[in-house]
């Protein structure tokens, strides 16, 4: 892991964005990003909102490559929430076209970077063209062994949790699950992130654009994630920003509810 990481850094990103300051042993395995600020980015430039989404898609490409080069195992991007259907039809249609454009253009690059595409969310409600683009990308990258690029598309955490509860209830009713067996691990296995195990839970959650909300994103999975809120609008987000946010993560003291035990100190004290 260390040698692969250093080799990738050497070949691609070393010193480019201060990434040589990162500590390989403290790299977040799973980074989740709420890509916010596309509309404001466009507004600032007197452009239509969709221009922000277009530039946001370019940034998805850049940040995917950077995260993969840095040795991240899973990158989850919140591309469309269950609440985003409330937006004007023209904007929703544009957002539904983006995966088509993105995958048509970018799948060969993903394969070159050994990146596998995965999706969480109810894709059955997406337009047929979007479903086809997503399914093709998943199929074309299925043998890739490197980072997983996990798009949350028509995703909402409460819907996901309710769905898990329904399926568990059915499994209890048919005798497949004994209620006494239900614990955190079993519950997690009914969530859409189960296929990402052992990295189903993000270590680091980043939200761009200055907003400090979770917006129904991975509520169960972020129980112990470190949260980083940055003022940068998503269309302006650069690999340097990603490195800075990972550096902030690496300075956090992750205790998972325990206490930090210094060397030579007795934790039972
Ligand atoms: C939030 O910004 C952003 C979204 C709802 C869409 C995010 C989508 C992308 C960045 C492109 C995804 C690309 C692919 C390949 C699927 P906002 O519009 O709410 O911004 P605002 O808060 O400034 O209005």
């Amino acid at each position: 892991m260390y040698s692969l990481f250093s080799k990738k850094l050497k070949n691609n990103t070393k010193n480019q964005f201060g990434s040589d300051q990162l500590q390989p042993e403290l790299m977040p395995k799973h980074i989740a990003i709420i890509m916010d600020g596309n509309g404001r980015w466009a507004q600032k430039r007197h452009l239509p909102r969709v221009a922000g989404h277009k530039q946001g898609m370019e940034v998805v490409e850049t940040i995917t490559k950077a995260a993969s080069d840095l040795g991240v195992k899973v990158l989850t991007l919140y591309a469309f929430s269950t609440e985003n259907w409330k937006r004007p039809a023209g904007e929703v249609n544009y957002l539904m076209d983006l995966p088509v454009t993105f995958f048509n253009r970018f799948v060969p690059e993903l394969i070159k970077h050994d990146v596998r595409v995965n999706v969480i969310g109810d894709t059955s409600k997406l337009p047929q063209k979007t479903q086809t683009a997503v399914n093709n990308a998943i199929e074309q990258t299925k043998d890739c062994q490197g980072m997983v690029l996990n798009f949350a598309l028509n995703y909402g955490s409460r819907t996901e949790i309710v769905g898990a509860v329904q399926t568990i209830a059915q499994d209890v009713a048919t005798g497949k699950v004994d209620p006494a067996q239900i614990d955190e691990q079993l519950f997690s296995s009914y969530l859409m992130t189960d296929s990402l195990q052992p990295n189903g839970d993000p270590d680091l959650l980043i939200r761009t654009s200055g907003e400090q909300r979770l917006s129904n994103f991975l509520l169960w999975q972020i129980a112990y994630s470190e949260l980083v809120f940055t003022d940068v609008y998503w269309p302006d987000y650069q690999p340097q920003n990603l490195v800075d946010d990972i550096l902030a993560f690496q300075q956090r003291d992750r205790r998972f509810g325990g206490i930090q035990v210094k060397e030579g100190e007795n934790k039972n004290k």
Side-chain angles (χ1 to χ4, degrees):
M1 152 75 188
Y2 183 82
S3 62
L4 178 66
F5 178 77
S6 3
K7 187 163 155 260
K8 283 187 165 184
L9 275 187
K10 201 176 286 165
N11 291 342
N12 298 296
T13 51
K14 192 164 189 222
N15 296 330
Q16 266 186 48
F17 347 97
S19 58
D20 53 333
Q21 291 171 41
L22 291 170
Q23 300 175 67
E25 68 284 4
L26 290 181
M27 275 304 287
K29 293 190 172 68
H30 182 167
I31 299 179
I33 307 184
I34 302 177
M35 308 179 288
D36 197 8
N38 294 353
R40 279 164 284 167
W41 181 91
Q43 201 177 20
K44 229 173 78 182
R45 289 162 176 75
H46 308 289
L47 294 169
R49 288 178 56 78
V50 293
H53 297 318
K54 182 166 185 283
Q55 182 57 28
M57 182 191 74
E58 305 292 336
V59 172
V60 168
E61 176 169 346
T62 319
I63 294 301
T64 297
K65 285 187 201 160
S68 160
D69 290 346
L70 289 168
V72 172
K73 303 285 180 205
V74 180
L75 178 67
T76 297
L77 300 177
Y78 206 3
F80 194 87
S81 78
T82 46
E83 287 72 34
N84 286 152
W85 296 108
K86 294 178 202 151
R87 294 186 177 214
E91 184 172 344
V92 169
N93 288 340
Y94 193 89
L95 286 169
M96 289 298 138
D97 278 338
L98 279 184
V100 182
T101 313
F102 178 81
F103 289 127
N104 273 344
R105 216 176 76 190
F106 194 42
V107 161
E109 276 289 293
L110 290 176
I111 294 171
K112 218 191 284 174
H113 281 73
D114 208 17
V115 170
R116 181 166 69 79
V117 174
N118 190 69
V119 171
I120 54 171
D122 182 0
T123 52
S124 72
K125 302 282 187 322
L126 303 177
Q128 193 51 54
K129 62 181 176 191
T130 316
Q131 288 188 44
T132 304
V134 165
N135 291 337
N136 285 346
I138 292 172
E139 174 61 25
Q140 287 163 333
T141 61
K142 71 176 189 308
D143 295 327
C144 293
Q145 304 286 321
M147 188 180 82
V148 178
L149 174 59
N150 181 39
F151 281 105
L153 269 173
N154 194 24
Y155 173 86
S157 189
R158 288 184 171 184
T159 304
E160 177 189 33
I161 290 171
V162 169
V165 171
Q166 282 176 344
T167 314
I168 293 172
Q170 281 157 11
D171 286 350
V172 167
T174 58
K176 203 171 141 196
V177 168
D178 173 356
Q181 261 182 283
I182 302 171
D183 59 9
E184 291 182 14
Q185 203 185 341
L186 181 129
F187 190 82
S188 292
S189 74
Y190 281 77
L191 296 174
M192 293 166 179
T193 42
D194 184 47
S195 66
L196 305 171
Q197 297 298 1
N199 300 312
D201 296 347
D203 303 289
L204 168 61
L205 173 83
I206 299 167
R207 182 173 189 143
T208 59
S209 92
E211 305 294 342
Q212 301 195 0
R213 293 189 286 280
L214 298 174
S215 300
N216 202 13
F217 191 41
L218 300 172
L219 299 180
W220 170 278
Q221 295 89 339
I222 58 163
Y224 285 104
S225 306
E226 293 296 329
L227 312 182
V228 171
F229 299 102
T230 169
D231 287 339
V232 180
Y233 292 150
W234 177 252
D236 284 330
Y237 198 77
Q238 298 292 318
Q240 174 69 67
N241 300 111
L242 180 66
V243 168
D244 289 346
D245 291 343
I246 297 174
L247 282 169
F249 165 85
Q250 295 193 335
Q251 275 146 28
R252 303 272 176 94
D253 173 19
R254 295 189 88 196
R255 290 178 299 187
F256 300 94
I259 55 165
Q260 175 127 57
V261 182
K262 292 200 191 99
E263 232 171 284
E265 222 177 67
N266 180 355
K267 76 171 174 200
N268 298 321
K269 210 165 53 176

